[in-house]
Amino acid sequence: MARAHFASKILVLLLYVSVVVVESGIGVNWGTVSLHRLSPETVVDLLKDNKIGKVKLFDADPTSMRALMGSGIEVMVGIPNEMLAVLSTSAAASDLWVSQNVSRYMVKGGVNIKYVAVGNEPFLTSYSGQFQSLVVPALMNLQQSLVKQNLAGMVKLVVPCNADAYESSLPSQGTFRPELTQIMTQLVSFLNSNGSPFVVNIYPFLSLYGNSDFPEDYAFFEGTTHPVVDGPNVYYNAFDGNFDTLVAALAKLGYGQMPIVIGEVGWPTDGAFSANLSAAKAFNQGLVKRVLSNSGTPLRPGVPPMDVYLFSLLDEGAKSVLPGNFERHWGIFSFDGQAKYPLNLGNGLLKNAKQVDYLPSRWCVANPNRDLSAVANHFKLACNVADCTTLSYGGSCNNIGEQGNISYAFNSYYQLKKQNPQSCDFDGLGMVTFLDPSVGDCKFLVGVTDNNSLGFNLNGVEVGFSGFPLLKLSD
């Protein structure tokens, strides 16, 4: 009897473990629009050391894909919006893309590709509809290409959508934008028939950043003094409210039970007043805790998102700052794979990247013995090439004074140029120092050698070792 009771306990435990595993998983977005790019092998080791079992890419960069081979990490590869036109009109182009970027890696000891993301937020209002008509035809061609390769059962096609695809004053009244209704009906029908989830990117930070009336505590998960009351349901955080707005919009199309994956969600650490380490830690840890609790939302109680991909793994210093200076600071790790703050994704606190090859410990600063009155053009040159966004209003280096600003800009340029002595000249206004000029939270970086990377960044275009540009997508 005791054995039977013990066996039943084990069975219950196994069933519980299996439920936890198949329900919600935490992954990360790995973008590579970087000034100082770690080798892909170092990044994959970082993922494995932190037991991060899911990663979302914005392309199918061969160096990243090769590094992921044999890792067991579940991968979502991306197709840039710029490729949708040819993929929507040419079955041959679709066959070639699948062959080069999926089939070749789906071998024993290869890459565990689970999803192909067809475009990235192609329905954004800022695109003025230029990609809307291309999405479904591209999906159809790519699905047939997967069928031809006998991969349709293993690899699912998805379309990461921005939260601006739907709208509502209250979550229960959520609906897709009128001009998207027909396309979304076709899209969700396709996803449903092929067993694919709906992928959405949700950013409470952007709601706070873009609206001075947005209650700050509503962006986080510790409760709010401004809850949203929607009939019998009460929303205490923006994430749940946004998620249920999508649930309601899907229900209006007849797909209220469709699985939902969060393709991007996160909080930046610099470049704006509300972007800092403490806020990012509070948001990301609160999000992870909520997702892993399996509590769900008012419209989906007990059913959390299928998977959640944090944005992002690493800072990307070459990204466009048109959305804001915070755009280069979304990483839970800095560019060199060092954890920015204590964060537990369910497997203990984050561990730093190992075996990072740094340049020597030296910095370029403004020469205190020179007249700096003619420094403006040099400052502008340095910041046009390197990343100076931490100097911006609200940034971590905003209060280091004029000479500090000049030194920060000079050093950023110097490290980007791999500490070439000439890059610290600035007509004699710069000088090399072996004393770390960092001040408080304002860190003066030392670059990485990235000798192990097969690609390098040239004027914002990722270039392979063959010298030909690789197709990239600005994530």
Side-chain angles (χ1 to χ4, degrees):
M1 187 71 178
R3 283 185 180 179
H5 181 66
F6 178 73
S8 67
K9 275 191 169 182
I10 292 294
L11 179 60
V12 169
L13 180 61
L14 288 173
L15 286 173
Y16 175 75
V17 171
S18 67
V19 167
V20 171
V21 170
V22 298
E23 284 195 349
S24 232
I26 304 293
V28 294
N29 285 264
W30 175 11
T32 58
V33 189
S34 305
L35 295 172
H36 306 268
R37 187 177 176 187
L38 289 178
S39 75
E41 292 78 16
T42 300
V43 176
V44 172
D45 285 343
L46 178 65
L47 293 170
K48 292 194 291 188
D49 286 347
N50 285 283
K51 297 182 174 62
I52 298 173
K54 302 170 186 285
V55 68
K56 177 170 167 280
L57 309 176
F58 293 91
D59 50 29
D61 172 35
T63 63
S64 301
M65 296 296 281
R66 281 195 290 270
L68 284 161
M69 292 185 74
S71 68
I73 295 170
E74 188 180 284
V75 179
M76 182 189 298
V77 296
I79 297 177
N81 290 333
E82 292 74 21
M83 288 192 67
L84 294 178
V86 64
L87 293 174
S88 67
T89 56
S90 171
S94 174
D95 289 346
L96 182 62
W97 191 91
V98 168
S99 175
Q100 288 184 340
N101 300 292
V102 181
S103 305
R104 70 186 293 189
Y105 299 111
M106 298 284 283
V107 296
K108 186 176 181 180
V111 183
N112 179 18
I113 300 175
K114 184 172 183 180
Y115 299 114
V116 172
V118 183
N120 185 46
E121 301 183 338
F123 306 118
L124 266 179
T125 51
S126 58
Y127 290 144
S128 303
Q130 69 182 103
F131 302 116
Q132 285 182 18
S133 64
L134 308 176
V135 174
V136 173
L139 282 171
M140 299 296 187
N141 280 341
L142 288 163
Q143 183 66 22
Q144 288 306 307
S145 299
L146 290 173
V147 169
K148 292 174 191 175
Q149 298 282 345
N150 295 315
L151 294 173
M154 292 180 280
V155 180
K156 301 300 179 183
L157 301 177
V158 295
V159 180
C161 294
N162 187 278
D164 82 343
Y166 46 90
E167 55 196 10
S168 174
S169 56
L170 291 172
S172 64
Q173 298 171 12
T175 182
F176 288 105
R177 296 198 326 256
E179 71 272 22
L180 293 178
T181 302
Q182 182 177 354
I183 293 170
M184 281 297 175
T185 302
Q186 295 173 325
L187 172 59
V188 295
S189 175
F190 172 89
L191 296 173
N192 184 66
S193 62
N194 290 289
S196 297
F198 192 98
V199 177
V200 64
N201 301 340
I202 296 177
Y203 281 109
F205 169 80
L206 294 180
S207 300
L208 176 63
Y209 178 77
N211 182 359
S212 59
D213 296 325
F214 190 90
E216 185 170 359
D217 57 3
Y218 188 61
F220 296 89
F221 296 88
E222 287 82 27
T224 178
T225 55
H226 302 81
V228 172
V229 179
D230 185 4
N233 298 322
V234 181
Y235 291 88
Y236 296 97
N237 67 79
F239 180 86
D240 285 2
N242 197 310
F243 185 91
D244 274 2
T245 304
L246 172 60
V247 171
L250 288 169
K252 288 180 175 61
L253 297 183
Y255 297 92
Q257 301 305 311
M258 174 168 281
I260 296 173
V261 166
I262 307 301
E264 297 177 24
V265 60
W267 200 278
T269 58
D270 216 325
F273 263 117
S274 47
N276 54 65
L277 293 173
S278 59
K281 178 186 176 182
F283 179 84
N284 283 330
Q285 195 64 75
L287 172 74
V288 170
K289 182 180 178 181
R290 179 141 184 83
V291 169
L292 295 183
S293 72
N294 294 324
S295 56
T297 59
L299 293 186
R300 284 193 177 177
V303 183
M306 189 171 162
D307 289 315
V308 174
Y309 293 86
L310 291 179
F311 192 86
S312 63
L313 180 64
L314 302 162
D315 280 352
E316 297 174 81
K319 288 188 70 177
S320 167
V321 293
L322 285 177
N325 288 326
F326 56 81
E327 197 63 28
R328 295 175 176 176
H329 304 280
W330 289 97
I332 56 176
F333 293 92
S334 51
F335 74 95
D336 54 352
Q338 307 305 297
K340 294 183 184 178
Y341 48 85
L343 180 65
N344 188 336
L345 301 183
N347 299 301
L349 294 179
L350 294 180
K351 299 175 181 176
N352 293 335
K354 299 172 183 173
Q355 298 177 324
V356 177
D357 294 323
Y358 289 96
L359 297 169
S361 294
R362 55 184 177 226
W363 298 262
C364 178
V365 295
N367 190 331
N369 300 316
R370 294 295 301 270
D371 176 7
L372 298 175
S373 59
V375 78
N377 287 336
H378 296 296
F379 182 88
K380 184 176 181 181
L381 164 71
C383 290
N384 280 343
V385 176
D387 176 32
C388 296
T389 52
T390 59
L391 298 175
S392 60
Y393 202 44
S396 62
C397 296
N398 181 235
N399 296 310
I400 59 174
E402 182 180 1
Q403 186 162 323
N405 289 347
I406 296 166
S407 293
Y408 187 93
F410 281 7
N411 183 64
S412 297
Y413 182 85
Y414 174 66
Q415 302 296 339
L416 182 59
K417 296 299 182 182
K418 298 291 187 289
Q419 297 185 357
N420 183 321
Q422 291 179 332
S423 66
C424 188
D425 181 43
F426 297 104
D427 287 341
L429 300 181
M431 60 174 278
V432 173
T433 179
F434 296 92
L435 297 175
D436 186 349
S438 298
V439 182
D441 291 335
C442 178
K443 305 300 182 186
F444 280 59
L445 66 88
V446 172
V448 295
T449 63
D450 64 8
N451 286 333
N452 295 323
S453 178
L454 293 179
F456 60 95
N457 199 282
L458 181 63
N459 295 328
V461 178
E462 191 73 3
V463 179
F465 67 91
S466 63
F468 292 100
L470 301 170
L471 278 169
K472 299 296 291 180
L473 174 64
S474 294
D475 43 315

